[in-house]
Amino acid sequence: MAERDASEPPGPAAAAELRNFLSELPAPAAVGHRIVHSGPHLTGHTLIDARVRALLTDVADLAPLHVAPALPVVDAGRELLPDVPHVACFDTVFHKDLPVQARTYAVPERWRAEYGLRRYGFHGLSYSWGLQRTAQALGRPVDDLQVVLVHLGGGCSACAVRNGHSVDTTMGLTPLEGLVMSRRSGSLDPGALLWLQRRHGLSPDELDDALHRHSGLLGLSGTSGDTRDLVRARAEGDAAAALALATFTLSCRRGIASMAASLDRLDALVFTGEIGEDQPEVREEICSALTVLGVQGGLLVPELEDLMRQGLRRIDQAEGGIPVLVVATGETQQIAAETRRVLGM
């Protein structure tokens, strides 16, 4: 019925912004909240009560860019709409049944048992939506598909889906692991972090800030974490932008190939997320160098407006290669679907 996008992360003004928005609308029947990390105690989308709210605070440091800013909105919503059910929809739930070998880190047993160190995986709401659309596009049931889904946006990850279930993904305990991202580093030799602390005296807070906010495409290019800016800069001869894009697309290919290792076959490669939707140069550079998986370049370039209207497009040339699809990101729609499901609506 209406939407309002804020340019800044939620903060103390969240309640006032939400109040103003709600004043323009009929009272909602329910509220769905995207919460990136569920932590170890919540394994499904769920109603938010006092217990769940306390558990969300407990896991906020595992996804500091996401959960901490979401909580003021949860609190404001519950305060402004106390008689309306509020549902937490988690990005981790899609990966809750990861095989034990895929979710386990090779670290001491105490770290795993006492500290709960394990891999969770993220972007699950996007993957849930993208998987359903892919099944529709290919005319096959979800439980008969083996696909690699790639969410490329501010955060980036890849996921292997076998017969409707996530069996591997590139993100881990936190949304910092895996592919190179807009401002996040992705995977890094843990020895490098120890060396930076010991040799150069960097504190945990300095490492946290650098790896979450000043690395990735921004750190490589020195100018921007936006692939659109970097494609333009590369065309103008910017060597740092060229390096950033080359490193990024190689990281994506590595991630896709590693996910394919958890499948028996590859029925489709699916792109979603802002970069996945709207950056044909990135898609082409990824796919044209993935011939080892049967993926081919020469991809079609749908108009973004058409993609948004139709929701998905098959973009490969359909000449014997692996199907390549683009799915318009549907996290908001998936939150609505999961909220209705939790409430039996």
Side-chain angles (χ1 to χ4, degrees):
M1 298 178 67
E3 66 179 27
R4 182 80 53 83
D5 294 316
S7 59
E8 297 297 326
E17 293 175 6
L18 187 55
R19 182 182 293 108
N20 291 338
F21 179 54
L22 292 172
S23 69
E24 303 169 8
L25 298 173
V31 181
H33 298 267
R34 181 195 179 200
I35 307 294
V36 165
H37 211 307
S38 64
H41 302 297
L42 299 169
T43 58
H45 310 299
T46 185
L47 277 169
I48 300 174
D49 56 17
R51 170 182 169 272
V52 169
R53 177 62 184 81
L55 290 172
L56 296 181
T57 296
D58 193 50
V59 301
D61 61 343
L62 290 176
L65 298 185
H66 302 89
V67 176
L71 295 183
V73 180
V74 170
D75 294 338
R78 295 179 73 207
E79 177 184 343
L80 294 169
L81 297 167
D83 300 320
V84 170
H86 293 254
V87 175
C89 300
F90 297 106
D91 273 303
T92 46
V93 166
F94 185 73
H95 309 287
K96 67 182 179 65
D97 295 321
L98 276 176
V100 64
Q101 67 271 22
R103 67 173 185 264
T104 302
Y105 286 114
V107 295
E109 193 272 341
R110 181 182 178 187
W111 293 10
R112 292 178 274 121
E114 292 188 29
Y115 305 155
L117 194 62
R118 52 155 291 186
R119 305 182 74 249
Y120 284 91
F122 302 93
H123 289 135
L125 294 165
S126 175
Y127 289 142
S128 295
W129 181 261
L131 179 61
Q132 296 293 331
R133 304 289 83 72
T134 297
Q136 292 175 2
L138 298 179
R140 296 173 60 176
V142 166
D143 60 9
D144 186 42
L145 282 179
Q146 297 198 35
V147 300
V148 172
L149 301 159
V150 190
H151 181 105
L152 302 179
C156 301
S157 72
C159 173
V161 173
R162 177 198 291 265
N163 303 332
H165 299 282
S166 171
V167 294
D168 203 359
T169 189
T170 55
M171 284 180 169
L173 175 73
T174 76
L176 189 58
E177 186 181 358
L179 310 185
V180 171
M181 305 178 218
S182 177
R183 294 169 179 263
R184 280 175 263 168
S185 64
S187 291
L188 187 67
D189 178 356
L193 302 181
L194 298 174
W195 177 76
L196 288 168
Q197 289 178 306
R198 290 170 175 163
R199 176 66 68 89
H200 297 285
L202 271 66
S203 69
D205 286 344
E206 288 175 309
L207 291 173
D208 182 288
D209 184 58
L211 296 176
H212 278 102
R213 296 177 176 85
H214 304 288
S215 297
L217 290 167
L218 176 62
L220 287 165
S221 69
T223 55
S224 177
D226 189 321
T227 54
R228 293 168 297 187
D229 295 336
L230 298 178
V231 166
R232 287 192 291 267
R234 180 178 63 181
E236 296 168 359
D238 186 325
L243 173 63
L245 287 168
T247 303
F248 177 70
T249 54
L250 174 59
S251 171
C252 292
R253 294 196 300 273
R254 285 171 170 166
I256 292 166
S258 69
M259 292 302 99
S262 290
L263 303 176
D264 299 321
R265 63 180 190 274
L266 185 59
D267 293 328
L269 175 62
V270 184
F271 290 95
T272 190
E274 297 93 332
I275 297 172
E277 294 168 359
D278 190 26
Q279 199 67 68
E281 296 89 348
V282 168
R283 295 193 302 258
E284 182 65 32
E285 288 170 35
I286 291 171
C287 291
S288 62
L290 274 177
T291 53
V292 68
L293 296 182
V295 177
Q296 299 177 4
L299 301 175
L300 304 173
V301 181
E303 291 292 335
L304 185 60
E305 184 176 323
D306 293 339
L307 173 63
M308 293 299 108
R309 183 175 60 253
Q310 297 170 9
L312 60 88
R313 285 289 298 274
R314 183 169 172 174
I315 59 171
D316 62 286
Q317 298 283 2
E319 295 176 354
I322 298 296
V324 179
L325 293 87
V326 179
V327 175
T329 312
E331 289 164 319
T332 302
Q333 298 95 315
Q334 193 65 34
I335 290 169
E338 301 296 356
T339 298
R340 291 188 179 99
R341 191 172 293 115
V342 167
L343 300 175
M345 298 170 67

